[in-house]
């Protein structure tokens, strides 16, 4: 009876804004419950606060600007700054720069330089995909896109933008050459021009050590499976290893991840596979960046889904993939994207120019930021997770004077799964974090909650339940999860 009373009490609704939203006055809390009795039910998710696992992975730490996006406004800037991004990835096209100038238009009326100005205020550093290295009759390039003249043009381009936008730190030599039909041999000839140009730009600007511009391959990708990406990468590494130029460089490795929808756990091996491919060619390990990733690629929507279902499922799908990429040691995973003017479900924000309302994906990143803010990861186990990483999983953290945050996602791709009522059991709660009282709030992102696409009136984050009760070392929180959904549990002092 006591447990049932707790569950009923948790149904009282309240409003709450996370760090990126305006905080609203909470409704009066239900009177504090007596200390909860020992929990004896079986839980789908168990959190053990006594087992610390180091710094929590920051799922929200890096992002990507799409060249199809409208120019963001001040509300979008505020939202992005609240994420404390390490890096934002953006774009520059060599062919367009040569023919139209440094401040060319991305699309419509959005110009490059105001865009770089904007994103420079939203992250510690910028990564630039420096693309469009193939000339055409209408859009030529110096030296026909190869050799010394082309290298000098890349060098001067880098010097111009790096001088004006000092936060530019990382350069990719193009984007997805494998997807664009280039063989590794063809692409490596281009890559050699890039590394020579980057070296020359660093030398002319006097940049060395950690201050220098870093270079990687144009992100390799695959629309079939991850093994195809590894195969292409191995061919590239063989060419790099055989290159006798002592000035060659590959400062980090880039990949884009769009496959394995039904097996996201495979990405736990992604960095290990890349490192093994490097080692097989006698090369040392590199940092690995996943500079785009997605539940699916391009404009594709599974036949089983509507646009609305895709918008909802995108949030747990992205969390599942990012979690395993980080779990396997990938150094940075870039969320794709802040606003995609052409593909709605890839957009974290809608109406980016004016109101910057978060889509389900945006709210999922806000939830991840709440986990990051608590600092120390604590152990989570799940009884509802398949060997492929489908089902219910969670990431939890505690500390920094902010209590405990538990991010839960239920991801099943197109497999139909009925709504599930589960419990999240939280054990060994440190009393030092709470003293005598705990305030619990639960948020959902699903087809009905915090989903501005499905319900245009849902323009601000709202909690579903809020409950204050006496401290207990163990407690159980009930959740009702749709087949593709996200939830956040926040326990505050």
């Amino acid at each position: 009876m006591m447990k049932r009373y707790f569950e009923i009490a948790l149904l009282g609704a309240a409003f709450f804004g996370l760090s990126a939203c305006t905080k609203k006055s909470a409704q009066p809390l239900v009177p504090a419950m007596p200390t909860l009795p020992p929990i004896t039910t079986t839980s789908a998710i168990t959190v053990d606060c006594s087992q610390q696992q180091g710094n929590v992975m920051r799922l929200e730490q890096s992002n990507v600007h799409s060249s199809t996006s409208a120019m963001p406004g001040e509300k979008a800037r505020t939202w992005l700054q609240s994420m404390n991004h390490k890096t934002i990835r953006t774009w520059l096209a060599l062919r367009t720069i040569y023919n139209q100038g440094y401040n060319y238009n991305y699309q419509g009326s959005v110009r490059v330089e105001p865009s770089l100005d904007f994103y420079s205020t939203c992250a510690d550093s910028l990564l630039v995909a420096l693309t469009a290295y193939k000339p055409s009759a209408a859009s030529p390039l110096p030296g026909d896109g190869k050799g010394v003249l082309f290298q000098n043009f890349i060098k001067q381009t880098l010097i111009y933008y790096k001088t004006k936008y000092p936060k530019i730190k990382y350069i990719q030599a193009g984007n997805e050459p494998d997807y664009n039909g280039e063989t590794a041999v063809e692409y490596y000839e281009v890559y050699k021009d890039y590394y020579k140009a980057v070296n020359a730009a660093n030398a002319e600007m006097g940049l060395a050590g950690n201050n220098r511009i870093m270079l990687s391959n144009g992100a390799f990708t695959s629309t079939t499976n991850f093994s195809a990406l590894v195969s292409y990468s191995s061919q590239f590494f063989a060419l790099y290893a055989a290159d006798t130029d002592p000035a060659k460089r590959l400062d980090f490795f880039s990949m884009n991840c769009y496959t394995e929808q039904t097996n996201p756990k495979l990405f736990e091996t992604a960095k290990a596979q890349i490192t093994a491919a490097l080692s097989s060619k006698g090369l040392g390990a590199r940092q690995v960046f996943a500079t785009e990733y997605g539940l699916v690629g391009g404009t594709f929507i599974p036949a089983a889904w509507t646009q609305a279902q895709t918008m909802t499922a995108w949030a747990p799908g992205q969390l599942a993939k990012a979690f395993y990429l980080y779990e396997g040691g990938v150094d940075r995973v870039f969320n794709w994207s802040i606003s995609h003017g052409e593909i709605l479900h890839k957009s974290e924000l809608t109406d980016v120019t004016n109101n910057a309302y978060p889509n389900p994906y945006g709210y999922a990143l806000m939830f991840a930021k709440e986990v990051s803010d608590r600092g120390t990861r604590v152990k989570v186990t799940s009884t509802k997770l398949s060997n492929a990483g489908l089902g219910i999983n969670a990431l939890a953290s505690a500390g920094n004077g902010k209590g405990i945050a538990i991010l839960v996602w239920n991801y099943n791709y197109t497999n139909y799964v009925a709504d599930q009522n589960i419990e999240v059991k939280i054990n060994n709660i440190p009393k030092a974090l709470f003293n005598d009282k705990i305030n619990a709030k639960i948020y959902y992102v699903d087809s009905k909650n915090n989903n501005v696409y499905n319900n245009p009136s849902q323009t601000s984050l709202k909690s579903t339940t809020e409950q204050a009760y006496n401290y207990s070392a163990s407690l159980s929180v009930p959740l009702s999860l749709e087949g593709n959904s996200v939830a956040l549990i926040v326990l505050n002092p």
Side-chain angles (χ1 to χ4, degrees):
M1 178 64 72
M2 182 66 68
K3 177 174 173 289
R4 179 61 180 157
Y5 179 80
F6 172 61
E7 291 178 357
I8 294 172
L10 278 174
L11 297 177
F15 297 92
F16 177 68
L18 296 181
S19 58
C21 296
T22 303
K23 187 172 182 179
K24 300 190 177 185
S25 298
Q27 296 177 357
L29 299 179
V30 176
M33 293 286 295
T35 300
L36 296 174
I39 303 299
T40 58
T41 55
T42 301
S43 300
I45 297 290
T46 301
V47 179
D48 187 347
C49 298
S50 69
Q51 296 197 45
Q52 298 184 352
Q53 299 180 318
N55 293 332
V56 70
M57 61 180 71
R58 288 195 58 206
L59 301 177
E60 80 295 343
Q61 70 178 280
S62 296
N63 222 323
V64 186
H65 149 244
S66 170
S67 61
T68 65
S69 173
M71 188 67 196
E74 288 306 307
K75 290 183 179 179
R77 191 197 308 270
T78 299
W79 189 86
L80 287 165
Q81 289 176 343
S82 75
M83 293 289 114
N84 293 334
H85 286 321
K86 284 187 176 180
T87 311
I88 289 177
R89 180 183 186 230
T90 188
W91 308 81
L92 290 171
L94 288 172
R95 188 170 56 236
T96 314
I97 291 166
Y98 183 69
N99 290 279
Q100 298 182 23
Y102 291 122
N103 194 25
Y104 69 91
N105 283 4
Y106 279 126
Q107 287 192 11
S109 60
V110 178
R111 287 195 171 271
V112 164
E113 295 196 6
S115 181
L116 291 171
D117 276 328
F118 177 88
Y119 291 109
S120 290
T121 69
C122 300
D124 296 338
S125 61
L126 297 181
L127 183 154
V128 175
L130 194 59
T131 64
Y133 48 71
K134 288 186 176 181
S136 67
S139 298
L141 279 167
D144 200 29
K146 54 183 178 291
V148 174
L149 291 177
F150 184 52
Q151 293 166 23
N152 286 337
F153 169 63
I154 297 175
K155 180 192 76 170
Q156 292 304 324
T157 297
L158 291 172
I159 290 171
Y160 175 84
Y161 286 113
K162 175 65 174 176
T163 301
K164 196 163 187 178
Y165 307 102
K167 286 192 175 181
I168 293 174
K169 183 175 179 65
Y170 306 100
I171 296 294
Q172 291 175 313
N175 183 56
E176 299 183 341
D178 50 340
Y179 178 74
N180 292 323
E182 296 174 65
T183 67
V185 171
E186 291 169 335
Y187 173 68
Y188 195 76
E189 290 303 305
V190 176
Y191 185 79
K192 288 193 293 186
D193 284 331
Y194 270 83
Y195 77 62
K196 291 173 183 178
V198 170
N199 286 339
N202 280 330
E204 188 161 323
M205 290 185 286
L207 302 176
N210 290 332
N211 293 322
R212 73 189 190 280
I213 298 171
M214 306 289 188
L215 177 68
S216 89
N217 57 295
F220 302 151
T221 191
S222 174
T223 57
T224 54
N225 52 54
F226 189 72
S227 63
L229 185 153
V230 176
S231 176
Y232 190 92
S233 301
S234 294
Q235 296 172 53
F236 173 82
F237 296 152
L239 294 163
Y240 183 85
D243 188 343
T244 58
D245 189 338
K248 68 183 179 183
R249 57 187 307 168
L250 177 66
D251 297 309
F252 62 103
F253 175 80
S254 295
M255 62 184 183
N256 294 345
C257 301
Y258 285 102
T259 60
E260 321 307 331
Q261 292 89 350
T262 60
N263 185 21
K265 198 173 192 301
L266 178 137
F267 286 120
E268 194 171 31
T269 71
K271 184 174 180 178
Q273 290 189 58
I274 295 302
T275 301
L278 284 160
S279 179
S280 72
K281 303 300 184 294
L283 302 172
R286 301 295 199 278
Q287 281 198 319
V288 174
F289 287 7
T291 54
E292 291 176 28
Y293 74 107
L295 179 56
V296 292
T299 60
F300 176 76
I301 292 178
W305 284 349
T306 63
Q307 177 70 71
Q309 288 171 305
T310 308
M311 295 290 291
T312 301
W314 203 260
Q318 293 293 89
L319 292 178
K321 284 192 171 183
F323 173 82
Y324 286 117
L325 285 164
Y326 275 121
E327 194 78 330
V330 169
D331 297 274
R332 209 159 297 180
V333 180
F334 290 70
N335 288 284
W336 174 239
S337 62
I338 297 163
S339 176
H340 200 301
E342 297 176 343
I343 308 175
L344 296 178
H345 49 268
K346 292 185 177 181
S347 296
E348 298 153 23
L349 302 175
T350 188
D351 187 21
V352 69
T353 300
N354 299 305
N355 294 299
Y357 298 134
N359 280 320
Y361 187 15
Y363 279 131
L365 296 185
M366 290 168 64
F367 291 179
K369 178 62 164 54
E370 288 295 304
V371 175
S372 297
D373 284 347
R374 275 118 183 119
T376 301
R377 185 178 177 182
V378 294
K379 185 177 180 180
V380 171
T381 56
S382 171
T383 64
K384 297 283 188 178
L385 193 63
S386 78
N387 291 334
L390 299 179
I392 302 172
N393 203 358
L395 178 68
S397 64
N400 286 341
K402 296 182 178 182
I404 298 168
I406 306 161
L407 175 59
V408 180
W409 58 93
N410 190 18
Y411 168 63
N412 292 283
Y413 193 44
T414 56
N415 302 325
Y416 172 75
V417 175
D419 293 1
Q420 298 180 72
N421 295 316
I422 69 162
E423 289 186 345
V424 177
K425 185 176 181 181
I426 310 162
N427 293 331
N428 299 309
I429 299 172
K431 190 170 185 179
L433 291 179
F434 297 99
N435 295 316
D436 296 325
K437 300 288 182 182
I438 297 176
N439 186 68
K441 292 183 180 180
I442 301 173
Y443 306 83
Y444 290 102
V445 171
D446 55 26
S447 66
K448 299 181 291 292
N449 298 284
N450 297 310
N451 191 325
V452 72
Y453 183 85
N454 285 355
N455 188 339
S457 69
Q458 294 180 346
T459 57
S460 61
L461 182 63
K462 294 182 181 179
S463 61
T464 301
T465 62
E466 181 173 357
Q467 172 67 33
Y469 51 91
N470 293 332
Y471 167 80
S472 176
S474 294
L475 60 92
S476 189
V477 177
L479 294 179
S480 181
L481 298 174
E482 295 180 0
N484 286 301
S485 59
V486 178
L488 176 70
I489 302 168
V490 178
L491 306 182
N492 285 320

